[in-house]
Amino acid sequence: MRTNYVLIDYESVQVKSLELLQQPHFKVRVFLGPNNTKLPAELAVAIQRFGDRADYIQLDTPGQNALDFHVAYYLGRLVVDEPDAFFHIISRDKGFDPLIKHLKSKCIFAARSETIEGMPCFSPPKIVPPPSPKLEPVKAPPSKAKKAVNESDVNLVIADLVGRKAARPRTIKTLLNTIRAKLGKQAIEDIDGIYQELRRRGFVKEAGTKVAYALPKTAQSS
């Protein structure tokens, strides 16, 4: 089991329990400022129970960031002695973060946590959702080949419409029925194919549900 050193900045975080650090791979260093002369009895007893796995580092002289420098100094010594250990700084002081980042860049395991409970080894593992199944692109159904229009049928319809003159159908629906009656065809695609061909050639033009004509003066021969 990898050794875990827990360096507690007691000026920043007044921990009261070391219950989570009972396993033998945890070693504790408690850094006390000049004003930290009294510790909770529970914490003092807990540290004594750790034996040589725990120690105090007491500062005698106050100074700006003095305790932080002490933490950094002892951390550096521990890294040299046990480079494969994991080093935890317990502090609310974010000034340690650049040091942590530098240690990580040197492939040294290190982290800052604001509480012992917040240490990475006690944090619940992040649940990574399973990757979404890869969806196959939706393929459009194969289009049906357009049925060829019989040229003779087209000419028959044109001739019929030319001969009707003023009696030509005025709506799309009536024109489709007229084509059906003329050709005797029942398949909708056949009737619609003739109608679309008349539109394509410009003989029939839609205006809403109605139609207008631009037919030749005489019927085409088949």
Side-chain angles (χ1 to χ4, degrees):
M1 180 69 72
R2 186 190 305 275
T3 300
N4 280 243
Y5 280 97
V6 183
L7 284 64
I8 301 173
D9 175 1
Y10 197 78
E11 279 190 337
S12 175
V13 180
Q14 284 75 52
V15 298
K16 297 181 179 180
S17 173
L18 302 178
E19 185 65 30
L20 291 176
L21 307 179
Q22 296 301 312
Q23 295 297 322
H25 61 279
F26 286 110
K27 296 185 178 182
V28 180
R29 301 291 184 268
V30 181
F31 291 81
L32 304 170
N35 298 323
N36 301 134
T37 56
K38 295 181 180 180
L39 297 179
E42 181 182 358
L43 179 61
V45 171
I47 292 177
Q48 289 180 351
R49 288 175 179 169
F50 271 70
D52 61 0
R53 291 193 296 117
D55 197 4
Y56 298 104
I57 292 91
Q58 176 78 54
L59 275 67
D60 297 324
T61 306
Q64 185 176 5
N65 297 324
L67 190 142
D68 295 354
F69 291 133
H70 280 66
V71 172
Y73 167 75
Y74 281 92
L75 174 59
R77 290 185 55 179
L78 291 170
V79 169
V80 172
D81 293 340
E82 297 188 56
D84 293 330
F86 200 123
F87 303 94
H88 304 269
I89 296 177
I90 307 301
S91 176
R92 293 188 178 88
D93 189 347
K94 296 181 180 180
F96 286 113
D97 292 348
L99 173 59
I100 297 296
K101 182 178 180 181
H102 179 69
L103 292 174
K104 289 181 176 180
S105 73
K106 301 298 181 181
C107 299
I108 295 170
F109 297 99
R112 179 184 69 86
S113 305
E114 294 190 358
T115 63
I116 292 175
E117 293 78 8
M119 289 167 52
C121 51
F122 300 131
S123 300
K126 294 182 179 180
I127 299 176
V128 180
S132 300
K134 186 177 180 180
L135 299 178
E136 294 293 333
V138 178
K139 296 180 180 180
S143 57
K144 294 181 180 179
K146 187 176 180 181
K147 188 176 180 179
V149 177
N150 188 302
E151 187 66 21
S152 296
D153 291 343
V154 174
N155 289 337
L156 281 174
V157 172
I158 292 174
D160 181 64
L161 293 173
V162 169
R164 288 175 178 270
K165 298 183 180 180
R168 295 165 188 160
R170 296 300 176 188
T171 66
I172 298 173
K173 181 178 180 180
T174 305
L175 176 56
L176 292 173
N177 289 333
T178 299
I179 295 172
R180 178 183 290 109
K182 179 64 180 177
L183 300 178
K185 295 180 180 291
Q186 298 299 321
I188 295 176
E189 58 268 24
D190 291 340
I191 305 304
D192 187 65
I194 298 294
Y195 171 73
Q196 296 300 335
E197 184 64 18
L198 293 176
R199 289 187 61 211
R200 189 186 69 79
R201 298 186 186 185
F203 294 151
V204 175
K205 297 181 180 180
E206 289 184 358
T209 59
K210 296 185 178 181
V211 289
Y213 299 92
L215 296 166
K217 294 183 180 180
T218 58
Q220 297 177 356
S221 60
S222 58

